[in-house]
Amino acid sequence: MTQAYEINFDGLVGPTHNYAGLSYGNVASMGNSSAVSNPREAVKQGLQKMYALHKLGIPQAVLPPLLRPDLATLRRLGFTGTDAQVLNKVAKQAPVLLACVSSASSMWTANACTMSPSADSLDGKVHFTAANLANRFHRSIEGPQTAKLLRAIFADESHFAHHDPLPLGDHFGDEGAANHTRLCREYGEPGVQIFVYGKYAFDPTQPAPQKFPARQTREASEAIARLHQLHADKVVFVQQNPAVIDQGVFHNDVIAVGNRNVLFFHEQAFLDKDTALADIRRAYGDDELHFIEVSSKAMPLEDAVRSYLFNSQLVSLPTGGMALIVPGECEANPRVWAYLQELLTRQTPIKAVHVFDVKQSMRNGGGPACLRQRIVLTESQRSTVSAKVWMSDEAFSALNAWADRHYRESLSAADLADPQLFIESEQAVSALQLLLTLRYR
């Protein structure tokens, strides 16, 4: 077995972080529409979480934000003139469109891509497929830009294989790692890849949600498994319960999380739970595998969604065992917090719970797990990454100073039309490129 490490690549919150309520089906996003945001606090909350994981001995890196507002998209849609004129026109004629191209949603890097480590692929390479995020316009414009960013960071073609986003449209809707989990004994060993989908796109007779959209299709998940050259006997396709999608569980990572030999999930997570678990166990083999199932009696679905309990990060500690990285909303919910305290008394690999304040992200519908993309690399693969994306004491200090220089303390919907905001965002992105020695535009 080749030694490999799972590295959390967290998205840096962008300077245009705002609450526009653009994500239909995401209860928190919809509920906080038009509130005033604090971009500086948002990026610093994310940095605090990254740094704390780094200090715990968990490999940690950063992914930079995409430049917003996305004026190139506005020009493709017929808005002309100087940058200031374009922003003025769209603010008057299509303010919702302005909110879409200003969204800082690339911070949720669980949606950036699906990644498969070299131990799982037939060609022995690390594979990336940037998500197309086809269901929401403001996110669908991210795919090509994210693909370019990933190619810039993981550039060595002898180690890394990159795939463009799947074709746009409902049939191949792909939301990245938010609907994907990998289980394994050790990170460097072949693992089981679990693709969770919301519906069959080409078969309307199959179960599907009725109120909110199913953002991941079975067909998209199958395409990614083919592109990544995965072993068929180590891939499991599981349908998410349509009823929970209709209650605000827009991604699987809002109701389940896995790491190594542990799958932590709510009993309502999957449409056919018993078959799903049997298929996962069969693919995993005879090694020890822990299913930690949370009943509706112990945790009503409403509490799970509001607290984002399952949008926690489940990480392996260097000292042994695992820890849940949970948002402060879990501690504030008596039922959830009582459950977590009881969980720690059981004989499971989960030995600790760490609480973090990520309220700025949570109000837009993204918890700790939304903010990170898990990437498994061997030491030789990691050594090919020349960009200075790794978290350290020095990086933490430099990134906080960068945020202090370039981020506003408050941002409202009206501010999105301010041409100065675009100038500030460009300056922030350019300064970050220099800091990370990375070009990705």
Side-chain angles (χ1 to χ4, degrees):
M1 179 196 73
T2 301
Q3 178 100 24
Y5 307 89
E6 183 178 83
I7 305 165
N8 289 286
F9 277 75
D10 277 43
L12 286 166
V13 180
T16 61
H17 165 66
N18 71 95
Y19 300 130
L22 298 172
S23 191
Y24 183 66
N26 182 326
V27 175
S29 173
M30 295 162 63
N32 288 295
S33 178
S34 300
V36 175
S37 67
N38 186 328
R40 186 182 298 173
E41 182 178 68
V43 70
K44 288 197 166 192
Q45 286 176 348
L47 283 167
Q48 287 285 352
K49 178 177 77 73
M50 297 181 221
Y51 186 60
L53 265 64
H54 162 70
K55 298 302 278 187
L56 284 172
I58 298 165
Q60 180 69 56
V62 302
L63 283 175
L66 303 178
L67 177 61
R68 296 293 183 265
D70 185 358
L71 295 187
T73 292
L74 294 179
R75 294 184 190 280
R76 286 181 62 199
L77 295 173
F79 292 95
T80 60
T82 65
D83 293 346
Q85 289 169 337
V86 167
L87 289 169
N88 181 262
K89 288 176 183 178
V90 74
K92 290 179 178 178
Q93 298 174 28
V96 175
L97 181 56
L98 177 59
C100 288
V101 300
S102 300
S103 174
S105 52
S106 66
M107 64 199 251
W108 295 309
T109 55
N111 302 126
C113 67
T114 303
M115 172 268 172
S116 296
S118 54
D120 292 2
S121 59
L122 290 172
D123 63 358
K125 292 185 178 182
V126 179
H127 284 255
F128 297 91
T129 297
N132 63 20
L133 300 164
N135 185 260
R136 300 284 92 193
F137 170 72
H138 72 287
R139 301 225 62 183
S140 68
I141 61 178
E142 295 174 18
Q145 300 164 347
T146 299
K148 186 181 294 186
L149 169 60
L150 292 171
R151 284 186 169 98
I153 296 174
F154 306 101
D156 190 329
E157 295 181 358
S158 66
H159 287 296
F160 306 113
H162 293 274
H163 309 283
D164 291 332
L166 300 180
L168 283 175
D170 181 65
H171 289 81
F172 290 98
D174 170 32
E175 302 272 319
N179 293 309
H180 173 264
T181 300
R182 179 178 186 260
L183 301 179
C184 60
R185 197 174 71 87
E186 299 288 346
Y187 293 125
E189 295 182 1
V192 174
Q193 298 204 26
I194 305 166
F195 292 85
V196 181
Y197 61 94
K199 69 174 183 180
Y200 287 82
F202 289 99
D203 188 352
T205 67
Q206 296 292 332
Q210 301 301 305
K211 180 180 179 182
F212 292 137
R215 301 185 182 188
Q216 185 84 25
T217 67
R218 167 90 181 212
E219 291 84 350
S221 297
E222 290 174 339
I224 293 169
R226 289 192 295 269
L227 287 167
H228 290 198
Q229 302 183 33
L230 302 180
H231 297 266
D233 61 344
K234 290 294 186 178
V235 175
V236 180
F237 298 101
V238 178
Q239 184 164 8
Q240 190 174 352
N241 184 351
V244 301
I245 294 176
D246 282 338
Q247 294 179 68
V249 183
F250 55 100
H251 288 141
N252 178 64
D253 69 0
V254 179
I255 201 163
V257 61
N259 176 54
R260 289 179 62 171
N261 66 342
V262 173
L263 183 64
F264 179 52
F265 64 99
H266 193 276
E267 70 170 342
Q268 296 184 54
F270 309 120
L271 179 62
D272 185 348
K273 179 189 67 177
D274 292 342
T275 298
L277 298 184
D279 288 347
I280 293 168
R281 188 173 290 281
R282 188 179 307 110
Y284 192 83
D286 296 330
D287 289 328
E288 187 177 37
L289 181 60
H290 299 268
F291 291 137
I292 304 177
E293 180 179 350
V294 184
S295 70
S296 297
K297 182 178 180 181
M299 183 68 55
L301 188 64
E302 182 180 0
D303 286 308
V305 172
R306 289 190 180 279
S307 67
Y308 265 35
L309 168 63
F310 295 98
N311 199 249
S312 304
Q313 294 174 243
L314 184 58
V315 297
S316 295
L317 299 168
T319 54
M322 300 184 191
L324 279 169
I325 308 301
V326 306
E329 284 74 5
C330 285
E331 189 174 32
N333 185 309
R335 192 193 300 267
V336 173
W337 192 243
Y339 171 82
L340 286 171
Q341 301 312 299
E342 189 271 331
L343 175 63
L344 294 179
T345 68
R346 297 191 214 165
Q347 298 300 309
T348 79
I350 300 177
K351 304 300 183 185
V353 173
H354 297 280
V355 181
F356 291 91
D357 179 5
V358 287
K359 286 188 180 68
Q360 287 289 323
S361 178
M362 285 286 289
R363 288 170 185 161
N364 237 345
C370 287
L371 287 162
R372 64 91 178 93
Q373 175 74 218
R374 293 180 289 185
I375 296 179
V376 174
L377 301 176
T378 65
E379 199 58 60
S380 61
Q381 290 161 354
R382 176 172 172 164
S383 69
T384 69
V385 176
S386 59
K388 297 177 181 178
V389 293
W390 313 112
M391 181 53 67
S392 64
D393 293 352
E394 296 77 13
F396 179 67
S397 177
L399 288 167
N400 272 282
W402 165 78
D404 285 333
R405 285 194 303 271
H406 296 287
Y407 280 59
R408 297 186 181 189
E409 290 189 340
S410 67
L411 199 67
S412 68
D415 294 327
L416 300 180
D418 180 4
Q420 183 60 33
L421 178 64
F422 177 71
I423 293 171
E424 292 169 10
S425 297
E426 270 201 313
Q427 291 172 341
V429 167
S430 296
L432 186 62
Q433 287 180 344
L434 290 173
L435 187 62
L436 302 181
T437 64
L438 174 67
R439 293 200 62 81
Y440 53 94
R441 288 174 57 191

